Amino acid sequence: MGASTITELSKLCIHTITTKPWPLEQAVEKYSKKGIKGISVWRQWLDENVPEASGKLLRDAGMDVVSLVRGGFFPGRTAEERQKAIDDNKKALDEAAAIGAPSVVLVCGAVPGQALTESRKQITDGIASVLDHATGVNVKLSIEPLHPMYADTRSAVNTLKQANDMCDALSSPFVGVAVDAYHLWWDPDLQQEIERCGKSGYLFAFHICDWMSPTVDILNDRGLMGEGCINVREIRGWVEDTGFDGYNEVEIFSNRWWEKDQDEFLEAIVSGYLQHS
Amino acid sequence: MGASTITELSKLCIHTITTKPWPLEQAVEKYSKKGIKGISVWRQWLDENVPEASGKLLRDAGMDVVSLVRGGFFPGRTAEERQKAIDDNKKALDEAAAIGAPSVVLVCGAVPGQALTESRKQITDGIASVLDHATGVNVKLSIEPLHPMYADTRSAVNTLKQANDMCDALSSPFVGVAVDAYHLWWDPDLQQEIERCGKSGYLFAFHICDWMSPTVDILNDRGLMGEGCINVREIRGWVEDTGFDGYNEVEIFSNRWWEKDQDEFLEAIVSGYLQHS
């Protein structure tokens, strides 16, 4: 079918890290003024001891909390490290429940020098270990496959096929996938794996931004939609063709944009979203 | 079976770009003194007007020329651009013949913003267009799948599966693959695709280096074997299990190493090769 042009902001969600200089209260105020009600909250933006307070702030402003970001980092060299990760993921699930986030995004983790096959096993085991807790607090887990350039330290899950396979293996309505165009745009199997992801009921979230040419920083040089080479609209079409009607989440890490006036950046996000997403 | 330890240098090949500060004559002299006879020559190292002169230099020193690097860059927005690439690839094939290189490595190319599917088609068409020329000069073409972080500008071929599929489609004894551990180590299908590559007769070349954590430059921060997290020895085992008995080609782009004394670097290459490859 292909995606139609976006003409309004009802499906726009912004990750708090996108406008990094703004604390939660300011982000909520600024997004609201623009008519943006979707927000994905990074854990650093929460009052760690009282996530309920952050939850009240979000509810009072009428925000729709899309995800808590981020859990994961399950692999570890020792059983102690892995248990620590499991405990932290349970805490993240509690925080998500406290702020009304229906899901926690998982950056699954990797250990430099540890075999990727071993890390992948530890990830599957780690998710399995927190599933009861997730069910108990009624918060889902979204596996986010990360770009292969993060396979050393951030995620041993690097394609949508792997994430889908992992969901098959875990077989729980509480485990799904966050599809991020930045991580996956290059994948020759992307369209078919998005279709599979949707059909299987795994498609929990959709993240967008753009790929800069050249990319001058491997972590913090993401582009705003329209600045780079990603076929964001086409990918959104594939996602929507599965019946997905969730938010389009703008998640941009950019030293360049963070240095600018964030009000101007927010204007640019809205404009880039309408013209290039 | 798995790879055994390397105890001598008969299968060691170095790419001239690895020791970038050395012109061809010096590289040949330095490698020879260490007992290294494998060399892959980047085109910038050739006397462009008289590649035969570079060929004589290499032959007189008893070097074994493994590859000419690099052809490719087939995709283009216009037919003129694409024809220019085809002409340049024919020139590269002639240069390879002139220096006694049995193959040309292809960095296949990509155009930012052009659909990857279109670029992939243009790559297949481009290779097909130079096949007669390759056969005529008896020089093979090695498709090198590049890491997905280069899908914007350098190569729309980003997995070994794609390269193998492309070889299937082109179906010529003059078209095969250069497997580079740096580009492919993260791929969950790597072992099986190496096996397929070998069985199909496509495995023309094997490149090694390492992945730095963190990687501070997306192009020129490759590590020496042992400095990073790539399972180089295991991957070499997979390659050798196919019956491959060609060179292990050290191809490192590193601002950090290029700034150092190149004699020390060459020592480190030999040591890293013996201990970590």
Side-chain angles (χ1 to χ4, degrees), chain A residues 181-214:
Chain A
Y182 188 78
H183 296 303
L184 304 175
W185 71 279
W186 58 271
D187 186 347
D189 296 332
L190 184 56
Q191 185 176 6
Q192 80 189 49
E193 289 295 331
I194 285 176
E195 195 183 329
R196 171 186 167 200
C197 189
K199 270 191 186 156
S200 309
Y202 302 152
L203 219 171
F204 288 180
F206 179 49
H207 299 178
I208 56 176
C209 67
D210 215 333
W211 183 279
M212 301 301 293
S213 302

PDB file of all heavy atoms in Angstrom, chain A residues 181-214:
ATOM      1  N   ALA A 181      14.195   2.495  12.508  1.00  0.00           N
ATOM      2  CA  ALA A 181      14.663   2.664  11.127  1.00  0.00           C
ATOM      3  C   ALA A 181      16.178   2.895  11.071  1.00  0.00           C
ATOM      4  O   ALA A 181      16.844   2.446  10.135  1.00  0.00           O
ATOM      5  CB  ALA A 181      13.933   3.829  10.461  1.00  0.00           C
ATOM      6  N   TYR A 182      16.729   3.587  12.055  1.00  0.00           N
ATOM      7  CA  TYR A 182      18.169   3.871  12.057  1.00  0.00           C
ATOM      8  C   TYR A 182      18.993   2.587  12.088  1.00  0.00           C
ATOM      9  O   TYR A 182      19.998   2.467  11.394  1.00  0.00           O
ATOM     10  CB  TYR A 182      18.527   4.722  13.274  1.00  0.00           C
ATOM     11  CG  TYR A 182      19.952   5.230  13.288  1.00  0.00           C
ATOM     12  CD1 TYR A 182      20.328   6.321  12.503  1.00  0.00           C
ATOM     13  CD2 TYR A 182      20.918   4.647  14.099  1.00  0.00           C
ATOM     14  CE1 TYR A 182      21.628   6.798  12.519  1.00  0.00           C
ATOM     15  CE2 TYR A 182      22.223   5.129  14.128  1.00  0.00           C
ATOM     16  CZ  TYR A 182      22.579   6.205  13.332  1.00  0.00           C
ATOM     17  OH  TYR A 182      23.868   6.673  13.360  1.00  0.00           O
ATOM     18  N   HIS A 183      18.540   1.638  12.887  1.00  0.00           N
ATOM     19  CA  HIS A 183      19.302   0.396  13.049  1.00  0.00           C
ATOM     20  C   HIS A 183      19.113  -0.577  11.899  1.00  0.00           C
ATOM     21  O   HIS A 183      19.979  -1.402  11.638  1.00  0.00           O
ATOM     22  CB  HIS A 183      18.896  -0.285  14.363  1.00  0.00           C
ATOM     23  CG  HIS A 183      19.227   0.509  15.589  1.00  0.00           C
ATOM     24  ND1 HIS A 183      20.509   0.912  15.873  1.00  0.00           N
ATOM     25  CD2 HIS A 183      18.454   1.006  16.576  1.00  0.00           C
ATOM     26  CE1 HIS A 183      20.510   1.614  17.001  1.00  0.00           C
ATOM     27  NE2 HIS A 183      19.278   1.685  17.442  1.00  0.00           N
ATOM     28  N   LEU A 184      17.992  -0.491  11.213  1.00  0.00           N
ATOM     29  CA  LEU A 184      17.597  -1.585  10.324  1.00  0.00           C
ATOM     30  C   LEU A 184      17.446  -1.219   8.854  1.00  0.00           C
ATOM     31  O   LEU A 184      17.221  -2.105   8.019  1.00  0.00           O
ATOM     32  CB  LEU A 184      16.271  -2.182  10.820  1.00  0.00           C
ATOM     33  CG  LEU A 184      16.255  -2.672  12.278  1.00  0.00           C
ATOM     34  CD1 LEU A 184      14.847  -3.115  12.663  1.00  0.00           C
ATOM     35  CD2 LEU A 184      17.250  -3.816  12.489  1.00  0.00           C
ATOM     36  N   TRP A 185      17.561   0.045   8.497  1.00  0.00           N
ATOM     37  CA  TRP A 185      17.225   0.487   7.135  1.00  0.00           C
ATOM     38  C   TRP A 185      18.016  -0.247   6.057  1.00  0.00           C
ATOM     39  O   TRP A 185      17.524  -0.441   4.947  1.00  0.00           O
ATOM     40  CB  TRP A 185      17.441   2.001   7.001  1.00  0.00           C
ATOM     41  CG  TRP A 185      18.892   2.409   6.999  1.00  0.00           C
ATOM     42  CD1 TRP A 185      19.696   2.570   8.069  1.00  0.00           C
ATOM     43  CD2 TRP A 185      19.695   2.693   5.842  1.00  0.00           C
ATOM     44  NE1 TRP A 185      20.962   2.937   7.670  1.00  0.00           N
ATOM     45  CE2 TRP A 185      20.991   3.031   6.317  1.00  0.00           C
ATOM     46  CE3 TRP A 185      19.455   2.716   4.468  1.00  0.00           C
ATOM     47  CZ2 TRP A 185      22.035   3.369   5.443  1.00  0.00           C
ATOM     48  CZ3 TRP A 185      20.505   3.051   3.600  1.00  0.00           C
ATOM     49  CH2 TRP A 185      21.766   3.372   4.093  1.00  0.00           C
ATOM     50  N   TRP A 186      19.245  -0.672   6.355  1.00  0.00           N
ATOM     51  CA  TRP A 186      20.141  -1.275   5.370  1.00  0.00           C
ATOM     52  C   TRP A 186      19.779  -2.737   5.077  1.00  0.00           C
ATOM     53  O   TRP A 186      20.269  -3.316   4.101  1.00  0.00           O
ATOM     54  CB  TRP A 186      21.572  -1.251   5.935  1.00  0.00           C
ATOM     55  CG  TRP A 186      21.615  -1.993   7.230  1.00  0.00           C
ATOM     56  CD1 TRP A 186      21.384  -1.479   8.484  1.00  0.00           C
ATOM     57  CD2 TRP A 186      21.791  -3.400   7.415  1.00  0.00           C
ATOM     58  NE1 TRP A 186      21.417  -2.478   9.419  1.00  0.00           N
ATOM     59  CE2 TRP A 186      21.658  -3.668   8.784  1.00  0.00           C
ATOM     60  CE3 TRP A 186      22.061  -4.454   6.540  1.00  0.00           C
ATOM     61  CZ2 TRP A 186      21.774  -4.953   9.316  1.00  0.00           C
ATOM     62  CZ3 TRP A 186      22.179  -5.732   7.070  1.00  0.00           C
ATOM     63  CH2 TRP A 186      22.030  -5.964   8.445  1.00  0.00           C
ATOM     64  N   ASP A 187      18.951  -3.352   5.915  1.00  0.00           N
ATOM     65  CA  ASP A 187      18.760  -4.808   5.880  1.00  0.00           C
ATOM     66  C   ASP A 187      17.937  -5.240   4.658  1.00  0.00           C
ATOM     67  O   ASP A 187      16.796  -4.808   4.500  1.00  0.00           O
ATOM     68  CB  ASP A 187      18.051  -5.235   7.174  1.00  0.00           C
ATOM     69  CG  ASP A 187      17.921  -6.743   7.313  1.00  0.00           C
ATOM     70  OD1 ASP A 187      18.144  -7.470   6.330  1.00  0.00           O
ATOM     71  OD2 ASP A 187      17.580  -7.193   8.421  1.00  0.00           O
ATOM     72  N   PRO A 188      18.520  -6.088   3.806  1.00  0.00           N
ATOM     73  CA  PRO A 188      17.785  -6.515   2.607  1.00  0.00           C
ATOM     74  C   PRO A 188      16.502  -7.284   2.940  1.00  0.00           C
ATOM     75  O   PRO A 188      15.605  -7.351   2.110  1.00  0.00           O
ATOM     76  CB  PRO A 188      18.778  -7.412   1.861  1.00  0.00           C
ATOM     77  CG  PRO A 188      19.861  -7.734   2.831  1.00  0.00           C
ATOM     78  CD  PRO A 188      19.879  -6.629   3.844  1.00  0.00           C
ATOM     79  N   ASP A 189      16.418  -7.833   4.160  1.00  0.00           N
ATOM     80  CA  ASP A 189      15.217  -8.587   4.554  1.00  0.00           C
ATOM     81  C   ASP A 189      14.225  -7.742   5.349  1.00  0.00           C
ATOM     82  O   ASP A 189      13.273  -8.278   5.925  1.00  0.00           O
ATOM     83  CB  ASP A 189      15.613  -9.795   5.420  1.00  0.00           C
ATOM     84  CG  ASP A 189      16.452 -10.793   4.632  1.00  0.00           C
ATOM     85  OD1 ASP A 189      16.293 -10.861   3.404  1.00  0.00           O
ATOM     86  OD2 ASP A 189      17.270 -11.507   5.262  1.00  0.00           O
ATOM     87  N   LEU A 190      14.442  -6.426   5.406  1.00  0.00           N
ATOM     88  CA  LEU A 190      13.653  -5.610   6.336  1.00  0.00           C
ATOM     89  C   LEU A 190      12.148  -5.686   6.077  1.00  0.00           C
ATOM     90  O   LEU A 190      11.368  -5.928   6.995  1.00  0.00           O
ATOM     91  CB  LEU A 190      14.130  -4.151   6.297  1.00  0.00           C
ATOM     92  CG  LEU A 190      13.434  -3.230   7.296  1.00  0.00           C
ATOM     93  CD1 LEU A 190      13.563  -3.741   8.724  1.00  0.00           C
ATOM     94  CD2 LEU A 190      13.978  -1.810   7.204  1.00  0.00           C
ATOM     95  N   GLN A 191      11.750  -5.502   4.828  1.00  0.00           N
ATOM     96  CA  GLN A 191      10.315  -5.485   4.552  1.00  0.00           C
ATOM     97  C   GLN A 191       9.651  -6.803   4.967  1.00  0.00           C
ATOM     98  O   GLN A 191       8.621  -6.812   5.641  1.00  0.00           O
ATOM     99  CB  GLN A 191      10.063  -5.194   3.064  1.00  0.00           C
ATOM    100  CG  GLN A 191       8.580  -5.056   2.750  1.00  0.00           C
ATOM    101  CD  GLN A 191       8.296  -4.681   1.303  1.00  0.00           C
ATOM    102  OE1 GLN A 191       9.203  -4.622   0.471  1.00  0.00           O
ATOM    103  NE2 GLN A 191       7.041  -4.412   0.996  1.00  0.00           N
ATOM    104  N   GLN A 192      10.273  -7.914   4.595  1.00  0.00           N
ATOM    105  CA  GLN A 192       9.640  -9.204   4.919  1.00  0.00           C
ATOM    106  C   GLN A 192       9.646  -9.496   6.422  1.00  0.00           C
ATOM    107  O   GLN A 192       8.705 -10.077   6.957  1.00  0.00           O
ATOM    108  CB  GLN A 192      10.274 -10.357   4.119  1.00  0.00           C
ATOM    109  CG  GLN A 192      11.583 -10.876   4.670  1.00  0.00           C
ATOM    110  CD  GLN A 192      12.261 -11.863   3.720  1.00  0.00           C
ATOM    111  OE1 GLN A 192      12.404 -11.604   2.521  1.00  0.00           O
ATOM    112  NE2 GLN A 192      12.691 -12.997   4.245  1.00  0.00           N
ATOM    113  N   GLU A 193      10.699  -9.023   7.117  1.00  0.00           N
ATOM    114  CA  GLU A 193      10.740  -9.264   8.565  1.00  0.00           C
ATOM    115  C   GLU A 193       9.780  -8.332   9.315  1.00  0.00           C
ATOM    116  O   GLU A 193       9.276  -8.696  10.382  1.00  0.00           O
ATOM    117  CB  GLU A 193      12.168  -9.136   9.086  1.00  0.00           C
ATOM    118  CG  GLU A 193      13.096 -10.279   8.662  1.00  0.00           C
ATOM    119  CD  GLU A 193      12.712 -11.653   9.229  1.00  0.00           C
ATOM    120  OE1 GLU A 193      12.127 -11.716  10.324  1.00  0.00           O
ATOM    121  OE2 GLU A 193      12.989 -12.667   8.545  1.00  0.00           O
ATOM    122  N   ILE A 194       9.544  -7.140   8.774  1.00  0.00           N
ATOM    123  CA  ILE A 194       8.523  -6.268   9.374  1.00  0.00           C
ATOM    124  C   ILE A 194       7.154  -6.925   9.213  1.00  0.00           C
ATOM    125  O   ILE A 194       6.340  -6.966  10.146  1.00  0.00           O
ATOM    126  CB  ILE A 194       8.535  -4.860   8.733  1.00  0.00           C
ATOM    127  CG1 ILE A 194       9.740  -4.050   9.236  1.00  0.00           C
ATOM    128  CG2 ILE A 194       7.234  -4.112   9.034  1.00  0.00           C
ATOM    129  CD1 ILE A 194       9.897  -2.668   8.598  1.00  0.00           C
ATOM    130  N   GLU A 195       6.912  -7.476   8.042  1.00  0.00           N
ATOM    131  CA  GLU A 195       5.637  -8.158   7.792  1.00  0.00           C
ATOM    132  C   GLU A 195       5.460  -9.323   8.779  1.00  0.00           C
ATOM    133  O   GLU A 195       4.405  -9.479   9.403  1.00  0.00           O
ATOM    134  CB  GLU A 195       5.638  -8.669   6.342  1.00  0.00           C
ATOM    135  CG  GLU A 195       4.260  -9.058   5.845  1.00  0.00           C
ATOM    136  CD  GLU A 195       4.315  -9.622   4.424  1.00  0.00           C
ATOM    137  OE1 GLU A 195       5.200  -9.215   3.630  1.00  0.00           O
ATOM    138  OE2 GLU A 195       3.464 -10.483   4.116  1.00  0.00           O
ATOM    139  N   ARG A 196       6.532 -10.101   8.916  1.00  0.00           N
ATOM    140  CA  ARG A 196       6.494 -11.238   9.858  1.00  0.00           C
ATOM    141  C   ARG A 196       6.271 -10.752  11.292  1.00  0.00           C
ATOM    142  O   ARG A 196       5.489 -11.337  12.059  1.00  0.00           O
ATOM    143  CB  ARG A 196       7.821 -12.008   9.757  1.00  0.00           C
ATOM    144  CG  ARG A 196       8.008 -13.061  10.816  1.00  0.00           C
ATOM    145  CD  ARG A 196       9.412 -13.679  10.753  1.00  0.00           C
ATOM    146  NE  ARG A 196       9.694 -14.465  11.945  1.00  0.00           N
ATOM    147  CZ  ARG A 196      10.911 -14.792  12.358  1.00  0.00           C
ATOM    148  NH1 ARG A 196      11.980 -14.416  11.653  1.00  0.00           N
ATOM    149  NH2 ARG A 196      11.086 -15.493  13.460  1.00  0.00           N
ATOM    150  N   CYS A 197       6.956  -9.680  11.645  1.00  0.00           N
ATOM    151  CA  CYS A 197       6.875  -9.110  12.990  1.00  0.00           C
ATOM    152  C   CYS A 197       5.432  -8.690  13.301  1.00  0.00           C
ATOM    153  O   CYS A 197       4.898  -8.979  14.369  1.00  0.00           O
ATOM    154  CB  CYS A 197       7.826  -7.906  13.063  1.00  0.00           C
ATOM    155  SG  CYS A 197       8.078  -7.208  14.693  1.00  0.00           S
ATOM    156  N   GLY A 198       4.822  -8.023  12.321  1.00  0.00           N
ATOM    157  CA  GLY A 198       3.438  -7.574  12.500  1.00  0.00           C
ATOM    158  C   GLY A 198       2.475  -8.744  12.597  1.00  0.00           C
ATOM    159  O   GLY A 198       1.645  -8.826  13.517  1.00  0.00           O
ATOM    160  N   LYS A 199       2.597  -9.665  11.650  1.00  0.00           N
ATOM    161  CA  LYS A 199       1.700 -10.836  11.611  1.00  0.00           C
ATOM    162  C   LYS A 199       1.779 -11.656  12.888  1.00  0.00           C
ATOM    163  O   LYS A 199       0.803 -12.273  13.313  1.00  0.00           O
ATOM    164  CB  LYS A 199       2.097 -11.762  10.443  1.00  0.00           C
ATOM    165  CG  LYS A 199       1.391 -11.452   9.151  1.00  0.00           C
ATOM    166  CD  LYS A 199       1.623 -12.571   8.130  1.00  0.00           C
ATOM    167  CE  LYS A 199       1.028 -12.194   6.778  1.00  0.00           C
ATOM    168  NZ  LYS A 199       1.681 -12.906   5.666  1.00  0.00           N
ATOM    169  N   SER A 200       2.982 -11.703  13.483  1.00  0.00           N
ATOM    170  CA  SER A 200       3.192 -12.524  14.683  1.00  0.00           C
ATOM    171  C   SER A 200       2.752 -11.809  15.952  1.00  0.00           C
ATOM    172  O   SER A 200       2.822 -12.380  17.038  1.00  0.00           O
ATOM    173  CB  SER A 200       4.677 -12.889  14.799  1.00  0.00           C
ATOM    174  OG  SER A 200       5.166 -13.438  13.594  1.00  0.00           O
ATOM    175  N   GLY A 201       2.343 -10.548  15.808  1.00  0.00           N
ATOM    176  CA  GLY A 201       1.915  -9.795  16.994  1.00  0.00           C
ATOM    177  C   GLY A 201       3.063  -9.246  17.813  1.00  0.00           C
ATOM    178  O   GLY A 201       2.918  -8.893  18.978  1.00  0.00           O
ATOM    179  N   TYR A 202       4.234  -9.128  17.193  1.00  0.00           N
ATOM    180  CA  TYR A 202       5.428  -8.681  17.926  1.00  0.00           C
ATOM    181  C   TYR A 202       5.713  -7.182  17.768  1.00  0.00           C
ATOM    182  O   TYR A 202       6.585  -6.648  18.439  1.00  0.00           O
ATOM    183  CB  TYR A 202       6.682  -9.422  17.429  1.00  0.00           C
ATOM    184  CG  TYR A 202       6.649 -10.926  17.524  1.00  0.00           C
ATOM    185  CD1 TYR A 202       7.391 -11.705  16.630  1.00  0.00           C
ATOM    186  CD2 TYR A 202       5.912 -11.586  18.509  1.00  0.00           C
ATOM    187  CE1 TYR A 202       7.393 -13.090  16.705  1.00  0.00           C
ATOM    188  CE2 TYR A 202       5.909 -12.973  18.583  1.00  0.00           C
ATOM    189  CZ  TYR A 202       6.651 -13.719  17.686  1.00  0.00           C
ATOM    190  OH  TYR A 202       6.653 -15.084  17.756  1.00  0.00           O
ATOM    191  N   LEU A 203       5.029  -6.531  16.846  1.00  0.00           N
ATOM    192  CA  LEU A 203       5.426  -5.156  16.527  1.00  0.00           C
ATOM    193  C   LEU A 203       4.884  -4.166  17.558  1.00  0.00           C
ATOM    194  O   LEU A 203       3.778  -3.664  17.449  1.00  0.00           O
ATOM    195  CB  LEU A 203       4.952  -4.799  15.102  1.00  0.00           C
ATOM    196  CG  LEU A 203       5.919  -3.963  14.278  1.00  0.00           C
ATOM    197  CD1 LEU A 203       5.465  -3.854  12.832  1.00  0.00           C
ATOM    198  CD2 LEU A 203       6.211  -2.618  14.860  1.00  0.00           C
ATOM    199  N   PHE A 204       5.695  -3.902  18.574  1.00  0.00           N
ATOM    200  CA  PHE A 204       5.269  -3.067  19.698  1.00  0.00           C
ATOM    201  C   PHE A 204       5.587  -1.580  19.490  1.00  0.00           C
ATOM    202  O   PHE A 204       4.922  -0.736  20.079  1.00  0.00           O
ATOM    203  CB  PHE A 204       5.974  -3.520  20.991  1.00  0.00           C
ATOM    204  CG  PHE A 204       5.490  -4.829  21.553  1.00  0.00           C
ATOM    205  CD1 PHE A 204       6.065  -5.340  22.724  1.00  0.00           C
ATOM    206  CD2 PHE A 204       4.466  -5.551  20.954  1.00  0.00           C
ATOM    207  CE1 PHE A 204       5.621  -6.533  23.277  1.00  0.00           C
ATOM    208  CE2 PHE A 204       4.014  -6.756  21.496  1.00  0.00           C
ATOM    209  CZ  PHE A 204       4.598  -7.252  22.663  1.00  0.00           C
ATOM    210  N   ALA A 205       6.638  -1.258  18.747  1.00  0.00           N
ATOM    211  CA  ALA A 205       7.069   0.144  18.678  1.00  0.00           C
ATOM    212  C   ALA A 205       7.813   0.424  17.381  1.00  0.00           C
ATOM    213  O   ALA A 205       8.406  -0.478  16.781  1.00  0.00           O
ATOM    214  CB  ALA A 205       7.980   0.471  19.867  1.00  0.00           C
ATOM    215  N   PHE A 206       7.772   1.686  16.957  1.00  0.00           N
ATOM    216  CA  PHE A 206       8.429   2.111  15.720  1.00  0.00           C
ATOM    217  C   PHE A 206       9.174   3.428  15.961  1.00  0.00           C
ATOM    218  O   PHE A 206       8.569   4.431  16.320  1.00  0.00           O
ATOM    219  CB  PHE A 206       7.378   2.262  14.608  1.00  0.00           C
ATOM    220  CG  PHE A 206       7.935   2.731  13.287  1.00  0.00           C
ATOM    221  CD1 PHE A 206       9.054   2.129  12.720  1.00  0.00           C
ATOM    222  CD2 PHE A 206       7.325   3.780  12.597  1.00  0.00           C
ATOM    223  CE1 PHE A 206       9.563   2.565  11.499  1.00  0.00           C
ATOM    224  CE2 PHE A 206       7.831   4.219  11.369  1.00  0.00           C
ATOM    225  CZ  PHE A 206       8.947   3.606  10.820  1.00  0.00           C
ATOM    226  N   HIS A 207      10.490   3.371  15.782  1.00  0.00           N
ATOM    227  CA  HIS A 207      11.348   4.542  16.030  1.00  0.00           C
ATOM    228  C   HIS A 207      11.882   5.106  14.714  1.00  0.00           C
ATOM    229  O   HIS A 207      12.250   4.346  13.819  1.00  0.00           O
ATOM    230  CB  HIS A 207      12.557   4.152  16.889  1.00  0.00           C
ATOM    231  CG  HIS A 207      12.215   3.614  18.241  1.00  0.00           C
ATOM    232  ND1 HIS A 207      13.171   3.179  19.132  1.00  0.00           N
ATOM    233  CD2 HIS A 207      11.017   3.449  18.869  1.00  0.00           C
ATOM    234  CE1 HIS A 207      12.583   2.766  20.244  1.00  0.00           C
ATOM    235  NE2 HIS A 207      11.286   2.901  20.107  1.00  0.00           N
ATOM    236  N   ILE A 208      11.979   6.421  14.643  1.00  0.00           N
ATOM    237  CA  ILE A 208      12.497   7.036  13.416  1.00  0.00           C
ATOM    238  C   ILE A 208      13.549   8.111  13.699  1.00  0.00           C
ATOM    239  O   ILE A 208      13.573   8.737  14.761  1.00  0.00           O
ATOM    240  CB  ILE A 208      11.362   7.667  12.569  1.00  0.00           C
ATOM    241  CG1 ILE A 208      10.552   8.686  13.384  1.00  0.00           C
ATOM    242  CG2 ILE A 208      10.433   6.573  12.020  1.00  0.00           C
ATOM    243  CD1 ILE A 208       9.475   9.412  12.581  1.00  0.00           C
ATOM    244  N   CYS A 209      14.421   8.292  12.717  1.00  0.00           N
ATOM    245  CA  CYS A 209      15.370   9.401  12.653  1.00  0.00           C
ATOM    246  C   CYS A 209      16.033   9.264  11.289  1.00  0.00           C
ATOM    247  O   CYS A 209      15.400   8.749  10.354  1.00  0.00           O
ATOM    248  CB  CYS A 209      16.380   9.371  13.810  1.00  0.00           C
ATOM    249  SG  CYS A 209      17.542   8.005  13.789  1.00  0.00           S
ATOM    250  N   ASP A 210      17.257   9.707  11.104  1.00  0.00           N
ATOM    251  CA  ASP A 210      17.877   9.578   9.783  1.00  0.00           C
ATOM    252  C   ASP A 210      19.364   9.277   9.921  1.00  0.00           C
ATOM    253  O   ASP A 210      19.937   9.449  10.997  1.00  0.00           O
ATOM    254  CB  ASP A 210      17.645  10.848   8.955  1.00  0.00           C
ATOM    255  CG  ASP A 210      17.454  10.535   7.471  1.00  0.00           C
ATOM    256  OD1 ASP A 210      17.980   9.497   7.003  1.00  0.00           O
ATOM    257  OD2 ASP A 210      16.786  11.314   6.783  1.00  0.00           O
ATOM    258  N   TRP A 211      19.959   8.822   8.821  1.00  0.00           N
ATOM    259  CA  TRP A 211      21.376   8.451   8.784  1.00  0.00           C
ATOM    260  C   TRP A 211      22.163   9.531   8.048  1.00  0.00           C
ATOM    261  O   TRP A 211      21.920   9.789   6.873  1.00  0.00           O
ATOM    262  CB  TRP A 211      21.549   7.105   8.062  1.00  0.00           C
ATOM    263  CG  TRP A 211      22.971   6.637   8.061  1.00  0.00           C
ATOM    264  CD1 TRP A 211      23.969   7.055   7.216  1.00  0.00           C
ATOM    265  CD2 TRP A 211      23.565   5.680   8.948  1.00  0.00           C
ATOM    266  NE1 TRP A 211      25.149   6.420   7.548  1.00  0.00           N
ATOM    267  CE2 TRP A 211      24.929   5.572   8.593  1.00  0.00           C
ATOM    268  CE3 TRP A 211      23.087   4.906  10.004  1.00  0.00           C
ATOM    269  CZ2 TRP A 211      25.811   4.717   9.263  1.00  0.00           C
ATOM    270  CZ3 TRP A 211      23.960   4.056  10.663  1.00  0.00           C
ATOM    271  CH2 TRP A 211      25.306   3.967  10.283  1.00  0.00           C
ATOM    272  N   MET A 212      23.123  10.148   8.743  1.00  0.00           N
ATOM    273  CA  MET A 212      23.914  11.225   8.163  1.00  0.00           C
ATOM    274  C   MET A 212      25.066  10.665   7.320  1.00  0.00           C
ATOM    275  O   MET A 212      25.699   9.694   7.702  1.00  0.00           O
ATOM    276  CB  MET A 212      24.531  12.089   9.272  1.00  0.00           C
ATOM    277  CG  MET A 212      23.540  12.737  10.215  1.00  0.00           C
ATOM    278  SD  MET A 212      22.372  13.832   9.392  1.00  0.00           S
ATOM    279  CE  MET A 212      23.482  15.136   8.854  1.00  0.00           C
ATOM    280  N   SER A 213      25.325  11.325   6.198  1.00  0.00           N
ATOM    281  CA  SER A 213      26.493  11.002   5.372  1.00  0.00           C
ATOM    282  C   SER A 213      27.348  12.261   5.238  1.00  0.00           C
ATOM    283  O   SER A 213      26.910  13.213   4.617  1.00  0.00           O
ATOM    284  CB  SER A 213      26.074  10.566   3.972  1.00  0.00           C
ATOM    285  OG  SER A 213      25.211   9.456   4.039  1.00  0.00           O
ATOM    286  N   PRO A 214      28.543  12.303   5.810  1.00  0.00           N
ATOM    287  CA  PRO A 214      29.126  11.255   6.638  1.00  0.00           C
ATOM    288  C   PRO A 214      28.554  11.280   8.049  1.00  0.00           C
ATOM    289  O   PRO A 214      28.014  12.299   8.489  1.00  0.00           O
ATOM    290  CB  PRO A 214      30.610  11.642   6.664  1.00  0.00           C
ATOM    291  CG  PRO A 214      30.604  13.136   6.567  1.00  0.00           C
ATOM    292  CD  PRO A 214      29.453  13.466   5.672  1.00  0.00           C
TER     293      PRO A 214
END
